[in-house]
């Protein structure tokens, strides 16, 4: 492809949004079974041959860079369960045109990998943590592993990761009694605690009745102090950022249902099996894998990126009452 195009973003959709951020799921496997993600019973797994190889992922990233992608986040499933994940991170951070490479993890394997991840060049990590209570953590995730996750978070702080973002899916009657505790966590630690509205994705064990929305969450947080807005930086996602007075860290709110941020969405998602999705909250996708494995040129693959962007909807159609959902499973889409 023409290297003269590397500083321009070709991925501009019909709403004039510049899509420069690619989230890449490297596996559909996960070592937890969270209520809002995993259905009852057995979870079907992709066959090994159906999952993109690291070489295929790197090729697609480099094509994306030619089109204007500048930010990449590695996700899963749980990315650290896939062999060679840290080496992939290192290869990505060495790509000069990428301005930001980060990782989302559930933290179970973070402690044994944290130093290697840092040495690979990663500085920003997101850790999913829906309870600070070990017993409740086990109820939400299916496993008594809170201690391992907390140890990974503490070690990551000691090593020097910054920011460390802690993602909390807020669920009524499940962990809403801990929202204030998570807010206090930002007072005592330099963590960015981000409250995420529950979104009806796939066949999970939670429903729309479990939703607790940002205005109510903010009201709870303000019982411990005034929330002062923090200006967003270039690498920020959809979170609205705030700080409590005297806090070492921040709190943020990702309000996909109560406050659509579709008008400023800048991301594409590449699933582990090679599907390109322009919206997390839509089942629409285009497939890259067949062309990738059957001799497709870089320009032909680039055209699929462009096609996905052209078809990106102005906004998602999920409703607060749960009348519309995303059929695909979250572990298959990528966190």
């Amino acid at each position: 492809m023409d290297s003269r195009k590397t500083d321009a973003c070709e991925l501009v959709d019909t709403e004039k949004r510049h899509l420069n951020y690619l989230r890449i799921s490297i596996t559909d496997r996960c070592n937890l079974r969270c209520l809002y993600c995993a259905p009852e019973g057995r979870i079907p797994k992709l066959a090994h041959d159906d999952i993109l190889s690291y070489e295929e992922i790197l090729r697609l990233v480099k094509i994306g860079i030619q089109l204007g992608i500048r930010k990449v986040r590695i996700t899963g499933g749980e990315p650290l369960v896939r062999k060679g994940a840290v080496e992939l991170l290192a290869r990505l951070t060495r790509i000069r045109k990428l301005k930001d490479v980060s990782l989302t993890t559930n933290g179970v394997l973070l402690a044994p990998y944290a130093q290697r991840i840092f040495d690979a060049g990663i500085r920003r990590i997101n850790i999913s943590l829906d309870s600070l209570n070990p017993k409740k953590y086990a109820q939400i995730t299916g496993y008594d592993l809170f201690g391992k996750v907390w140890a990974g978070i503490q070690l990551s702080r000691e090593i020097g990761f910054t920011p460390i973002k802690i993602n909390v899916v807020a669920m009524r009657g499940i962990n809403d009694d801990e929202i204030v505790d998570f807010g206090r966590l930002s007072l005592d630690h330099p963590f960015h605690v981000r409250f995420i509205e529950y979104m009806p994705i796939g066949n999970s064990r939670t429903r729309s009745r479990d939703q607790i929305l940002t205005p109510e969450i903010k009201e709870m947080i303000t019982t411990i102090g005034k929330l002062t807005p923090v200006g967003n930086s270039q690498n920020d996602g959809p979170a609205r950022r705030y700080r409590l007075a005297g806090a070492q860290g921040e709190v943020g709110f990702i309000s996909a249902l109560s406050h659509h941020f579709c008008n400023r969405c800048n991301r594409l998602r590449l699933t582990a099996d090679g599907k390109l999705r322009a919206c997390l909250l839509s089942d629409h996708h285009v497939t890259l894998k067949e062309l990738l494995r059957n001799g497709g040129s870089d320009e032909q693959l680039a055209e699929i990126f462009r096609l996905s962007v052209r078809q990106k909807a102005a906004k998602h159609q999920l409703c607060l009452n749960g009348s519309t959902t995303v059929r695909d499973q979250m572990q298959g889409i990528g966190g």
Side-chain angles (χ1 to χ4, degrees):
M1 298 180 66
D2 189 344
S3 62
R4 291 173 297 180
K5 294 182 179 179
T6 56
D7 290 322
C9 185
E10 291 188 44
L11 302 178
V12 181
D13 68 10
T14 57
E15 301 296 314
K16 308 302 181 187
R17 295 170 294 196
H18 289 234
L19 280 72
N20 59 5
Y21 177 14
L22 182 63
R23 296 177 66 103
I24 303 170
S25 171
I26 63 171
T27 180
D28 65 327
R29 267 63 168 181
C30 189
N31 46 7
L32 297 179
R33 291 181 56 92
C34 295
L35 291 173
Y36 53 83
C37 185
E40 294 283 2
R42 181 178 175 274
I43 303 174
K45 300 290 195 301
L46 290 170
H48 177 76
D49 289 344
D50 289 332
I51 295 175
L52 295 183
S53 70
Y54 288 149
E55 292 301 328
E56 290 170 330
I57 289 171
L58 288 164
R59 183 184 176 194
L60 293 174
V61 167
K62 290 173 183 177
I63 291 170
I65 288 170
Q66 298 291 332
L67 299 171
I69 295 294
R70 293 294 178 267
K71 178 178 178 181
V72 164
R73 175 174 292 278
I74 296 301
T75 73
E78 168 48 44
L80 295 180
V81 303
R82 181 169 176 181
K83 185 178 179 180
V86 176
E87 288 75 14
L88 173 67
L89 292 170
R91 294 177 73 177
L92 288 168
T93 60
R94 290 196 292 266
I95 299 175
R96 184 175 60 86
K97 281 286 184 180
L98 280 181
K99 304 302 183 186
D100 186 84
V101 182
S102 55
L103 173 72
T104 291
T105 173
N106 61 31
V108 171
L109 296 174
L110 186 55
Y113 282 105
Q115 188 62 59
R116 288 180 58 201
I117 293 168
F118 191 86
D119 293 343
I122 301 299
R123 296 295 178 266
R124 302 191 317 111
I125 53 174
N126 286 24
I127 301 159
S128 300
L129 182 66
D130 300 313
S131 178
L132 297 170
N133 178 305
K135 183 177 180 180
K136 189 183 297 182
Y137 176 90
Q139 292 171 346
I140 292 171
T141 67
Y143 296 91
D144 183 13
L145 296 171
F146 173 82
K148 288 189 175 183
V149 177
W150 189 248
I153 292 171
Q154 296 289 67
L155 180 59
S156 297
R157 178 182 176 182
E158 294 169 13
I159 288 171
F161 287 95
T162 183
I164 296 172
K165 296 181 179 180
I166 296 179
N167 292 343
V168 185
V169 177
M171 295 169 284
R172 190 179 304 281
I174 299 173
N175 64 355
D176 54 334
D177 59 337
E178 293 191 71
I179 284 172
V180 170
D181 293 333
F182 273 108
R184 288 198 182 99
L185 193 66
S186 77
L187 289 170
D188 302 327
H189 303 274
F191 303 145
H192 292 200
V193 179
R194 310 191 320 166
F195 297 97
I196 302 172
E197 292 179 347
Y198 163 72
M199 293 169 279
I201 296 176
N203 177 23
S204 72
R205 287 164 287 159
T206 46
R207 296 292 181 265
S208 59
R209 65 176 180 270
D210 301 317
Q211 289 166 345
I212 178 169
L213 303 179
T214 292
E216 188 175 349
I217 298 170
K218 287 177 72 173
E219 186 175 346
M220 293 179 183
I221 298 295
T222 55
T223 62
I224 55 173
K226 180 181 178 181
L227 287 170
T228 301
V230 175
N232 282 34
S233 69
Q234 183 179 2
N235 289 325
D236 281 345
R240 302 274 184 175
R241 298 169 57 192
Y242 296 83
R243 190 185 300 273
L244 289 162
Q248 296 185 50
E250 298 179 7
V251 295
F253 305 94
I254 299 178
S255 316
L257 297 178
S258 66
H259 188 285
H260 287 202
F261 43 80
C262 301
N263 65 316
R264 52 194 175 93
C265 180
N266 66 339
R267 63 189 61 186
L268 292 168
R269 292 173 181 267
L270 178 63
T271 66
D273 58 348
K275 298 182 178 74
L276 197 61
R277 300 175 67 109
C279 178
L280 168 65
L281 303 178
S282 167
D283 287 310
H284 183 269
H285 64 265
V286 294
T287 300
L288 287 159
K289 184 173 64 180
E290 183 175 341
L291 182 61
L292 184 66
R293 294 183 174 178
N294 288 283
S297 68
D298 283 5
E299 181 53 40
Q300 288 174 312
L301 290 164
E303 185 53 33
I304 294 184
F305 275 84
R306 297 186 191 103
L307 173 64
S308 179
V309 169
R310 288 196 298 268
Q311 294 178 348
K312 184 176 175 71
K315 61 182 181 179
H316 72 74
Q317 300 302 314
L318 291 192
C319 302
L320 292 176
N321 63 11
S323 60
T324 55
T325 62
V326 178
R327 293 188 302 274
D328 292 339
Q329 289 296 123
M330 189 66 200
Q331 77 268 17
I333 300 171

